[in-house]
Every structure is written in structure tokens, then in C-alpha cells.
Amino acid sequence: MAAKERMTQPNITVSLAFHFRCYIFSPLLQLTRSFFRFRLLPPLSLSVYSDGSGISSLPPTVVLPLLRECEEACFCGISVFWSGALASPMAIERIFKDEASEEKGERARMASFVGAMAIADLVKTTLGPKGMDKILQSTGRGREVTVTNDGATILKSLHIDNAAAKVLVDISKVQDDEVGDGTTSVVVLAGELLREAEKLVAAKIHPMTIISGYRMAAECARHALLQKVVDNKEDAETFRSDLTKIAMTTLSSKILCQDKDHFAKLAVDAVMRLKGSTNLESIQIIKKPGGSLKDSFLDDGFILDKKIGIGQPKRIENANILVANTAMDTDKVKIYGARVRVDSMSKVAEIEGAEKEKMREKVQKIISHGINCFVNRQLIYNFPEELFADAGILAIEHADFDGIERLALVTGGEIASTFDNPETVKLGHCKLIEEIMIGEDKLIRFSGVQMGEACTIVLRGASHHVLDEAERSLHDALCVLSQTVNDSRVLFGGGWPEMIMAKEVDELAHKTPGKKSHAIEAFSRALLAIPTIIADNAGLDSAELVAQLRAEHHKEGCNAGIDVISGSVGDMAELGISEAFKVKQAVLLSATEAAEMILRVDEIITCAPRQRENRM
């Protein structure tokens, strides 16, 4: 066979392997030279290659005798082995559909690292008391704009394609649901852990070694925090002071920072009414544009954002309330929903009369429950409203579903939809229902409700954007405080916990032999990134401040942290900067677990998009 011909390797269609040590010359193979050429592959295999259209185009009457001839040419007892009949090498290598893709090894790991670090870099400028805000603009019809520095809100609004970045978005959401605060810190810490891991991987340290080191470091850091916690639950006055400090620290990085004393007091008062419960449903937040943020207040009752109808009582004492979700609009014939054939207008009047009579019976059933206030989720049309007014019953229509759910909860009632059996319906009760004015709007207040912990926080502000961000900020504070009431352990803030953890983890690294020590050192550097970013966002010299902090923390009983107001290292106990232990623990453990999950990745497979069927 010519050298040039040996260099050319056409698509394999049949590969036959033989255990023999001689060339095969068969008359049948000689006859099929126009269809095949073959060569001896070292040392013991013979491959038959297609010369054009391939063996699949040959009729079986040619292929099968060829295979038998090859078999007969072998020595006795030697069999034929098939390896890839009627398939090409490209088809063997590719097992996914055309649109599917996969990345392996270093490329997959690098894609994960880059995506996660990009998400961390996106939100890290919002960290700390001097963090900046982001404007999020939707692509919908309204082009709605959200101005926020809340990490969970920012990440929730993003459409992300990178798989590793989605892991960080998920841990931010879980952090928000579990403890309410630390949503930015957990993403930033996870991003820094992966940034350090990337350097270790580049230094030829195996990911599993890094994970093992990170686990040891995380446990050491958590143990260091446990040694420093303070619990003042037994002393009610000191514990309330701790809660106020935690609320002020949480609100320091929000839009409410200028009035944090006022809002911290509101949040603590609201949470203390819950008496240890973490159910924030009984705390309602109402937003009313106008005035300034300082005009916001806490009301002891439940406020429903609805008006009292014309001709109805404006004030009711010792109210019995029926909360319902039922249709009260059947006093008209629904022309579009029914087809009625009549021979005169009098027949139409009879139908309308029958509908009104049906509605009158329904109203009488409701009145028979012995109520003086009826709150309905759906509309109440004019006719039933007149009947309720004649009976001296306050009827409130179109209360939103969230409103009636919360109203039923705080008044001790249940939402009803049928009224045939009054004894099975549970009514709500309150001491006073009255109409109040907030700004230029009229609202209905339910005072003295059965659930004593129910209250309403009314937020005032310059615009809807300010009010939305104020609500998010206050909600974070309420979540943290409600969790702290249950787990009352408290730490100092301002980068103090990270310095405590970094110091202990660094000492562990010096005691640990082998490559794990590099991973533990990297964990310590990642923890130091939090105070560094807080200082950078405040426009301070982070290298100088962190160096001073490290020196201070080698002294016994140190409470030093970063005071971004004065731009120096300050005493966190004197400044009253405190954080909940539960928040810090959740940040530490969630960030470590997320980094571990991403480090384990060695292949990313992107599935092919589902094809739409062509039904034409």
C-alpha cells in the first residue's frame, strides 16, 4: 500500500480484530478491492475501511460472505471480534445532542469559579454602613425601577445563566428566609473562599484537600465565636438594650440609617409584643406616601387599608366580625354568562326580581350570625350593601386576600364561604372599629383585637421607591430581632467576629501538617476580606485598618472593630455595635458549604434545549 494511502484514514464502518500473525489474502477480498482497502494495524488487528459511500450501502449478499471469508482465513479456533460496526468515530465520541455542550476538568472548574466570583463582586459594594445602592430596572411593560442595597433582592432580580452563580443566589435566598440579614455577607464570603481556592488549585493542590481544610477551618471559626458570645436573656433590661443595638446595626447599612434610633425602637416594640413567636404575620406594614420617614409610627391595632361605605356606621364597639370570601354580586342578570329567551320585558323583570330575592336570602343568612361587621374578599354590590346598611352592619368589600387572612388571624376568626350553619362559623372579635386618617387617606382601624400581639407599622416617606426600600430594611430588622429573641446569643459587629475567627483559624493552620494547612490559611484570608471590603466601601485605607485590627486582636479581651464613621479602629462595646450570633453562624456555614459544593465540580453538562414539534 502506498505511503500516501496509509496516511489517509477514512471513516471506519467495520472493524474486525483477528488473533493471527499472518497477512490474509482471500479471493473474495481481492474481488472487493473496488469497495474496500485495508491495512494491517499493529500488532494483531485488521481494520477494513470504507472507500466512499460505506459498507452500509452494500447489500447483505456482499457483506456477509466477506465476513465469512475473513473468518475462514483465520487459524482454527480463532474468532472474529466486532468493534464498532456501522458507526463512525465521531458518532462514538459524541453522545450528546448537537445543541448540548459539556466542559470538563479545569475548564469546568474555572467557569464555576469565574461565575461565583462575578456574583460576589456584583454585590460586595453594597456591604457595610457605607455600602452603595443598585438600581434594578425591569424589562416589563411598566419598566419598574427598584432602588436597593439588599443582597437577596438584587440577586433575586437577576436572570443568571452560570450554574455556580445560581448556587450563590440560592444561599442568599435561604439566608434571607432563615434569619433575614447577612444576605450580602454570605455571598461575599463564598466568593472570597472560591477566589482563594482558585489559587490553591493553580498550585496543584487537589480540590478534596482544599475542602477538607475548609471544613476544619469552619469548625474552628464557629468554636471561636461560641467562646465569645454574650447572653443577657435573664436580664430583661439589658436584653432589650442588646436587641436595640442589633436593630441599629442592621439598619445602619439601609436607607433608614439616618433615623435608625427611631426605627430600632419601633422594631423592638413590635417584636417584643410577639412574646417569643417568630410569626411576623401579626405585624402589618402599611406604606403611605407623604411626610418624611421620621413620621412613621407603630399602632397597637390592626389597620385595614379600606374606606367605610356611604350610609354605614363609622364606629362600632364590641364588634363581632364575619370574615368571608363569597360572591355578593348576583343581584344582576349576567347577560354574558347566560342565554335567556323571553317574550316580553316583564319576564326579564321577573328574573331580576328572583335574583334579588336570592341575594336577600343570602344577606339574611349572614345577618343571622349575630354580627355587626362583615368583611368580604370580593366585591359587594349596591343592593346587598343597602341591606347591610339598613341592618346597621358595617360591610367592607374587596379586602385583599392578604388583608383578610391577617384580619382573621388577629381577630381570632376564620374565613367563611357558606352560611347555612351559623354554629360552625367562627367569628372574630375586637373592642373598637373606627375610621382614621393617615395623611389624606381614610383607613379602618381594629383596636383591642383578640391576638394581643397584633400591631401595624405605618411607614411614611417621600416616594414609593423610598417606602419600598424602607419596608425591606424594616423587614430585615424584624426578622433578625425575632430570631434573636429565641436564640439570644449576641456578638460585637464591625468586623470584630471575622478578626476573632481569622486569628483562631490562623493558629490552627500553624498546627496542621501537610497541604491542608494551605487551605486553612486561605480560609483565614477569606474571612479578613469582610472587614477589608467594609473599609474599602467607606473610602478608608483598608490595608492600614486591617493591619491595626490584627495587632489589636493579639491583646487579651480586645473589642476592636472598624468604626466607619470616624474612619479608625474603635471599641465595639462603647460604640454599641452588636450582631446576632445566629446570623454570623448562618453566614459562616452557608458560605463554606456553597464553596465546597462548587469546588467538587469537575464537569458541566448543558442539556440541549427542547425542540418544539412542528405540527404544521
Side-chain angles (χ1 to χ4, degrees):
M1 190 178 292
K4 184 179 178 182
E5 208 171 11
R6 282 198 303 270
M7 292 290 291
T8 308
Q9 182 174 331
N11 291 340
I12 299 173
T13 54
V14 177
S15 178
L16 306 172
F18 302 91
H19 292 268
F20 63 98
R21 298 179 181 274
C22 64
Y23 291 90
I24 297 175
F25 294 101
S26 164
L28 185 55
L29 286 177
Q30 294 289 340
L31 290 174
T32 56
R33 289 182 66 181
S34 59
F35 291 99
F36 297 93
R37 62 177 179 272
F38 61 93
R39 61 174 179 166
L40 193 67
L41 297 180
L44 299 175
S45 64
L46 176 70
S47 297
V48 182
Y49 295 88
S50 164
D51 187 24
S53 59
I55 196 167
S56 59
S57 63
L58 297 176
T61 53
V62 174
V63 176
L64 295 176
L66 170 65
L67 297 178
R68 274 197 296 272
E69 189 71 22
C70 291
E71 205 170 12
E72 290 168 6
C74 299
F75 292 121
C76 183
I78 306 299
S79 59
V80 180
F81 297 89
W82 290 67
S83 61
L86 305 180
S88 68
M90 292 300 292
I92 294 170
E93 290 172 15
R94 189 172 184 83
I95 62 172
F96 300 115
K97 287 187 176 180
D98 290 341
E99 296 87 352
S101 64
E102 64 172 332
E103 294 177 1
K104 295 184 178 181
E106 288 303 314
R107 284 191 62 183
R109 197 169 285 118
M110 189 57 62
S112 300
F113 287 165
V114 168
M117 288 188 289
I119 286 292
D121 290 341
L122 175 72
V123 297
K124 76 177 182 182
T125 56
T126 68
L127 188 66
K130 300 287 185 180
M132 306 299 283
D133 288 359
K134 309 284 184 192
I135 291 181
L136 310 172
Q137 186 169 11
S138 73
T139 55
R141 182 183 297 175
R143 309 285 289 178
E144 292 181 6
V145 171
T146 303
V147 184
T148 184
N149 73 345
D150 181 52
T153 305
I154 294 167
L155 296 178
K156 205 162 34 178
S157 307
L158 301 179
H159 298 285
I160 295 170
D161 194 37
N162 186 280
K166 287 182 179 178
V167 173
L168 295 198
V169 173
D170 286 343
I171 63 168
S172 177
K173 287 179 185 174
V174 171
Q175 181 79 10
D176 192 38
D177 294 340
E178 285 292 310
V179 288
D181 197 21
T183 53
T184 305
S185 300
V186 70
V187 173
V188 169
L189 181 56
E192 292 301 324
L193 288 171
L194 290 170
R195 201 185 303 274
E196 294 295 332
E198 183 191 8
K199 299 172 189 173
L200 297 176
V201 170
K204 305 298 181 188
I205 297 177
H206 195 273
M208 296 310 294
T209 305
I210 301 171
I211 288 170
S212 181
Y214 276 7
R215 282 182 179 173
M216 290 174 64
E219 188 55 39
C220 174
R222 181 176 173 276
H223 184 70
L225 287 183
L226 284 169
Q227 299 299 316
K228 299 288 184 179
V229 295
V230 177
D231 192 343
N232 293 316
K233 193 162 189 179
E234 301 303 322
D235 186 348
E237 194 63 36
T238 311
F239 184 54
R240 188 181 179 88
S241 173
D242 285 346
L243 289 178
T244 305
K245 289 175 184 176
I246 289 171
M248 289 171 65
T249 304
T250 302
L251 296 172
S252 291
S253 61
K254 314 288 184 184
I255 196 173
L256 303 176
C257 60
Q258 299 301 320
D259 306 305
K260 61 184 179 183
D261 294 340
H262 175 61
F263 282 99
K265 185 176 182 304
L266 286 185
V268 171
D269 287 345
V271 168
M272 292 302 278
R273 294 171 67 95
L274 296 178
K275 300 170 185 172
S277 170
T278 55
N279 181 16
L280 298 178
E281 286 292 316
S282 53
I283 301 175
Q284 188 183 24
I285 298 177
I286 288 181
K287 299 172 287 186
K288 284 294 171 186
S292 67
L293 287 169
K294 270 188 180 174
D295 297 330
S296 304
F297 63 91
L298 176 72
D299 193 282
D300 290 340
F302 177 86
I303 297 178
L304 190 65
D305 194 359
K306 290 292 167 187
K307 296 178 183 176
I308 293 178
I310 298 170
Q312 295 185 354
K314 304 292 183 185
R315 178 186 173 92
I316 294 177
E317 295 182 2
N318 298 319
N320 294 322
I321 306 162
L322 176 59
V323 184
N325 182 13
T326 186
M328 301 295 290
D329 57 351
T330 54
D331 58 329
K332 293 182 180 179
V333 177
K334 293 184 174 66
I335 300 298
Y336 297 106
R339 180 177 295 177
V340 182
R341 292 179 182 271
V342 293
D343 53 9
S344 67
M345 287 300 295
S346 60
K347 297 289 186 184
V348 176
E350 287 177 18
I351 295 172
E352 287 184 348
E355 290 282 348
K356 282 192 173 185
E357 194 57 39
K358 183 180 174 184
M359 176 53 65
R360 193 190 303 275
E361 290 175 7
K362 187 172 186 179
V363 170
Q364 287 302 323
K365 285 180 182 178
I366 293 171
I367 294 172
S368 67
H369 286 69
I371 61 170
N372 49 15
C373 178
F374 176 68
V375 183
N376 192 29
R377 163 74 180 84
Q378 302 178 38
L379 288 170
I380 301 176
Y381 272 31
N382 295 340
F383 180 64
E385 193 174 35
E386 288 173 16
L387 296 176
F388 283 125
D390 292 342
I393 293 174
L394 170 61
I396 303 169
E397 67 171 356
H398 215 233
D400 60 276
F401 196 74
D402 185 48
I404 67 163
E405 286 258 321
R406 191 178 271 119
L407 181 61
L409 174 72
V410 300
T411 59
E414 291 179 356
I415 299 173
S417 55
T418 58
F419 313 101
D420 294 327
N421 300 309
E423 63 277 1
T424 62
V425 177
K426 190 176 180 183
L427 302 179
H429 304 278
C430 75
K431 291 180 180 176
L432 178 65
I433 301 175
E434 60 183 340
E435 191 173 60
I436 61 170
M437 291 280 292
I438 297 178
E440 297 179 357
D441 296 330
K442 293 180 180 178
L443 299 93
I444 306 170
R445 178 168 61 191
F446 297 76
S447 304
V449 293
Q450 188 167 335
M451 181 182 275
E453 54 263 33
C455 61
T456 303
I457 297 175
V458 180
L459 293 177
R460 308 300 310 280
S463 70
H464 286 289
H465 298 129
V466 172
L467 288 173
D468 288 343
E469 179 64 0
E471 183 189 18
R472 283 189 289 270
S473 305
L474 194 59
H475 182 265
D476 285 356
L478 291 171
C479 286
V480 173
L481 292 176
S482 65
Q483 295 293 333
T484 309
V485 169
N486 283 342
D487 186 348
S488 54
R489 292 172 290 181
V490 177
L491 297 162
F492 293 122
W496 178 86
E498 285 77 18
M499 297 305 298
I500 291 289
M501 291 188 285
K503 179 188 171 188
E504 291 295 325
V505 170
D506 226 13
E507 290 177 4
L508 175 66
H510 293 150
K511 301 174 189 172
T512 306
K515 289 183 178 179
K516 284 183 187 176
S517 62
H518 296 295
I520 297 171
E521 276 182 19
F523 197 97
S524 173
R525 289 194 297 271
L527 287 169
L528 289 177
I530 299 288
T532 303
I533 292 168
I534 290 173
D536 284 338
N537 289 346
L540 306 175
D541 186 350
S542 59
E544 175 69 21
L545 282 174
V546 172
Q548 288 181 22
L549 267 180
R550 191 186 285 114
E552 287 288 328
H553 275 268
H554 277 84
K555 299 175 184 176
E556 194 65 32
C558 173
N559 296 330
I562 295 176
D563 179 7
V564 294
I565 307 301
S566 65
S568 61
V569 173
D571 189 317
M572 297 294 103
E574 292 177 6
L575 294 170
I577 299 174
S578 298
E579 292 186 73
F581 168 75
K582 191 167 185 178
V583 173
K584 280 296 169 192
Q585 178 179 251
V587 167
L588 176 70
L589 300 181
S590 298
T592 308
E593 288 171 7
E596 178 183 331
M597 179 181 288
I598 294 170
L599 268 170
R600 287 176 177 274
V601 173
D602 74 335
E603 186 169 356
I604 300 173
I605 301 169
T606 307
C607 297
R610 184 176 165 187
Q611 298 292 333
R612 290 191 177 185
E613 295 181 9
N614 188 3
R615 297 178 182 274
M616 299 299 290

